[in-house]
Amino acid sequence: GDSVTQMEGPVTLSEEACLTINCTYTATGYPSLFWYVQYPGEGLQLLLKATKADDKGSNKGFEATYRKETTSFHLEKGSVQVSDSAVYFCALSTGGGNKLTFGTGTQLKVEL
Amino acid sequence: EPEVTQTPSHQVTQMGQEVILRCVPISNHLYFYWYRQILGQKVEFLVSFYNNEISEKSEIFDDQFSVERPDGSNFTLKIRSTKLEDSAMYFCASRDSGLYEQYFGPGTRLTVT
């Protein structure tokens, strides 16, 4: 079945450092890919998406590119802020927006 | 901006009791979902619902679970006889027709004692 693998956390960075959170997937068919973010005490917010190979999703300075050849969708940001501290979930869906399959989440802590 | 809402935010119940978790999806969305997240674990799919019927369900969604859209705005998840292992955060999500992304509510934390 479908699965998503994310790098283990927590990831601790200093403010203005570069961020990469790795995400790889296994899926039947051609999935749509997503990053969701969960701030402390809150629900899941859609951060960005990509629906076909080579698409780049971007939002709030975060980017991720759908790489079909490596089945990856790594999340990147050039300069993180303390306010980016949260748990980041990579997810996929197949079949035109059916159920989401999530990775285990990666906690990001950004310190001054 | 439209958002998904869920009530209650926290529910405490005794083992064996029935609970109903409520969700109000975004008003023009047609696809509805329930997920759960046991503390410290990944978010897991429970069920999807479209056109007044279940379109897909996971192995977790057994006979103890049911979903209903009782009116034009609410979407509910019922657990008939709760178990300790049902303790989790339950998220409702909705999706517009023709779009891929799902929008999540803030969740209901269910604690079974």
Side-chain angles (χ1 to χ4, degrees):
Chain A
D2 298 344
S3 67
V4 175
T5 301
Q6 286 182 239
M7 60 187 289
E8 293 281 331
V11 173
T12 303
L13 296 174
S14 298
E15 200 169 45
E16 299 184 3
C18 295
L19 168 71
T20 300
I21 299 178
N22 291 333
C23 171
T24 57
Y25 67 89
T26 303
T28 54
Y30 300 98
S32 297
L33 301 173
F34 307 87
W35 279 99
Y36 281 84
V37 58
Q38 186 176 34
Y39 296 102
E42 298 186 14
L44 296 162
Q45 297 179 23
L46 177 67
L47 182 59
L48 53 84
K49 69 177 182 187
T51 57
K52 62 182 188 294
D54 300 325
D55 267 1
K56 177 186 283 189
S58 62
N59 186 26
K60 299 181 182 180
F62 290 90
E63 293 182 339
T65 301
Y66 189 142
R67 301 284 189 203
K68 185 180 173 186
E69 63 276 12
T70 54
T71 62
S72 64
F73 192 56
H74 305 321
L75 182 68
E76 299 178 326
K77 188 175 185 183
S79 176
V80 294
Q81 307 298 312
V82 171
S83 57
D84 293 329
S85 298
V87 180
Y88 292 82
F89 292 92
C90 185
L92 66 83
S93 71
T94 54
N98 287 339
K99 67 176 183 181
L100 286 166
T101 298
F102 284 87
T104 52
T106 302
Q107 184 175 14
L108 170 66
K109 297 180 182 178
V110 182
E111 301 172 335
L112 290 171
Chain B
E1 185 176 327
E3 58 183 22
V4 177
T5 60
Q6 291 185 242
T7 54
S9 57
H10 190 191
Q11 173 101 40
V12 181
T13 189
Q14 290 189 326
M15 196 166 50
Q17 295 298 302
E18 175 184 285
V19 294
I20 298 176
L21 310 182
R22 302 183 192 280
C23 169
V24 178
I26 295 173
S27 62
N28 60 332
H29 287 189
L30 299 178
Y31 297 81
F32 313 117
Y33 307 83
W34 283 101
Y35 295 82
R36 78 173 185 190
Q37 184 182 28
I38 295 172
L39 188 63
Q41 299 186 23
K42 69 167 66 176
V43 178
E44 302 172 290
F45 167 77
L46 293 178
V47 66
S48 58
F49 190 87
Y50 170 72
N51 199 25
N52 283 321
E53 60 183 32
I54 291 173
S55 45
E56 188 175 0
K57 59 183 180 180
S58 71
E59 297 170 350
I60 304 167
F61 195 88
D62 62 21
D63 292 344
Q64 293 301 311
F65 291 87
S66 63
V67 288
E68 191 179 27
R69 187 155 165 83
D71 53 43
S73 59
N74 290 282
F75 179 52
T76 62
L77 174 69
K78 181 193 290 187
I79 309 175
R80 288 190 183 81
S81 179
T82 50
K83 307 182 187 70
L84 293 175
E85 54 265 36
D86 292 328
S87 294
M89 181 74 87
Y90 288 80
F91 292 106
C92 173
S94 68
R95 178 175 71 85
D96 195 1
S97 178
L99 297 179
Y100 296 94
E101 58 269 31
Q102 296 176 26
Y103 292 89
F104 283 74
T108 293
R109 181 169 298 284
L110 177 65
T111 302
V112 183
T113 62

